[in-house]
Amino acid sequence: MTAEFAVALPAVALVLAVCLASVVLVAQQVRLTDAAADAARALGRGESAAEAGAIADRVSGGASIATWSEDPFVCVALSAPGHGLLAAIELRAESCAVGEGR
């Protein structure tokens, strides 16, 4: 093993770790977006905010939820911290659906 390889190896390992962490972060963002859409549709069907929160929690793996209404829509915003190396990044997803009877 050469000295140059020994010096470069930690940098290569760090780059690979950040790349893997970013893939995990993107997958988490997709789950968060799906969870927001599912929760908004549940509220649009007339289910309670607690039921929509349970759906969002099940799909996203635990995210804070905020709901609001913009007539004729009901909207949901979910936020969750990242995992692993990129835990400092706050992820957020919003979705709206047409409310019941509209």
Side-chain angles (χ1 to χ4, degrees):
M1 183 177 343
T2 65
E4 292 84 8
F5 182 71
V7 170
L9 193 58
V12 171
L14 180 63
V15 168
L16 286 175
V18 170
C19 288
L20 289 173
S22 63
V23 168
V24 170
L25 199 67
V26 168
Q28 185 182 5
Q29 179 65 43
V30 169
R31 283 193 310 272
L32 204 62
T33 302
D34 288 343
D38 291 346
R41 282 193 298 269
L43 287 174
R45 288 190 305 263
E47 296 182 25
S48 70
E51 290 170 341
I55 290 169
D57 188 48
R58 185 175 60 243
V59 175
S60 71
S64 60
I65 185 171
T67 61
W68 69 95
S69 181
E70 295 177 1
D71 218 19
F73 301 104
V74 288
C75 299
V76 173
L78 296 177
S79 61
H83 292 298
L85 291 175
L86 303 176
I89 296 176
E90 182 75 19
L91 301 174
R92 184 173 167 84
E94 294 181 9
S95 185
C96 295
V98 176
E100 186 177 40
R102 304 212 168 111

